[in-house]
Every structure is written in structure tokens, then in C-alpha cells.
Amino acid sequence: MVKHRIYATSFSKVYPLLVAKAGKKGRTKAEVDEVIFWLTGYSQDALEEQLERQTSYEDFFAQAPRMNPSRAMITGVVCGVRIESIEEPTMREIRYLDKMIDELAKGKAIDKILRA
């Protein structure tokens, strides 16, 4: 299996990009964090610890306290790829987060993003 380069990228490098993407559309860091908490089960303290430790993107998901079982409800296309067709588990987790941040940036209500 060939690993994607993004797997080794520190989540602390990706996180500000996620916040900036949402922020350009008037969404907040707190909303980005809420999405991350829902998806991964991280708390605010645990997220900050992962950022400080510069955990790789792959390990960020591998060490997540509790991946939300409802994440399978996240469907659609992100980066030109249908999420449902992604077979590699880590890439699917990355794309779930990408899709949720895209929805946040497009102004979708947070309860709909969190599949409530």
C-alpha cells in the first residue's frame, strides 16, 4: 500500500487551514472545533495536546478517542472524489473532515453538518 503524503503532515499544519477556510465565510474556530469533536471524540484539551505534539494527520485519526459512528452518513464529493467510494480508511476519515468543513464554509447549519 502506498501511503499518501498528507498522512505524514502534522495535523497542526492542516488545522489553521481548516479554520481559515471556515473563517473566510464567517464561521468560527469554535465551530471548526465542534465539528472535529463530533467526528473524533477529542475534547478541547486533547485537541490542543495533539496540536502541540504536532501529531501526524494519520496518527490524529488513529489516536482519536471515539470516531463517531454516524460519520458514515457523510456522503458526497470532496476533492473530486465520492467519499463513499474511498476504500482506504485513513483517507476516508480525512475526507469526512474535509466535507464537513466544506459544509461549514458553505453556510450549512451546524446541526445538519453534525447529522443531528
Side-chain angles (χ1 to χ4, degrees), residues 22-42:
K24 286 179 185 175
K25 299 294 183 169
R27 303 310 284 259
T28 66
K29 175 186 173 297
E31 289 173 306
V32 171
D33 289 352
E34 186 175 356
V35 165
I36 292 170
F37 302 156
W38 179 90
L39 182 64
T40 64
Y42 282 111

Side-chain angles (χ1 to χ4, degrees), residues 43-95:
S43 65
Q44 185 68 53
D45 288 341
L47 173 61
E48 289 173 14
E49 182 180 328
Q50 293 293 328
L51 294 170
E52 286 174 21
R53 289 174 44 205
Q54 298 187 358
T55 303
S56 71
Y57 219 170
E58 181 175 32
D59 288 344
F60 177 79
F61 286 107
Q63 297 169 10
R66 181 182 173 275
M67 294 302 293
N68 193 313
S70 295
R71 70 192 185 284
M73 296 170 58
I74 302 167
T75 60
V77 176
V78 65
C79 298
V81 177
R82 182 151 292 283
I83 294 172
E84 307 90 299
S85 70
I86 300 171
E87 293 184 22
E88 205 291 308
T90 302
M91 184 54 69
R92 190 172 40 243
E93 303 301 351
I94 290 169
R95 295 305 180 206

Side-chain angles (χ1 to χ4, degrees), residues 2-15 17-18 54-61 79 88 90-95 97-98:
V2 175
K3 287 198 174 191
H4 295 271
R5 188 180 311 168
I6 193 165
Y7 290 4
T9 301
S10 167
F11 185 73
S12 65
K13 289 186 179 184
V14 176
Y15 178 75
L17 302 174
L18 300 174
Q54 298 187 358
T55 303
S56 71
Y57 219 170
E58 181 175 32
D59 288 344
F60 177 79
F61 286 107
C79 298
E88 205 291 308
T90 302
M91 184 54 69
R92 190 172 40 243
E93 303 301 351
I94 290 169
R95 295 305 180 206
L97 180 56
D98 288 345

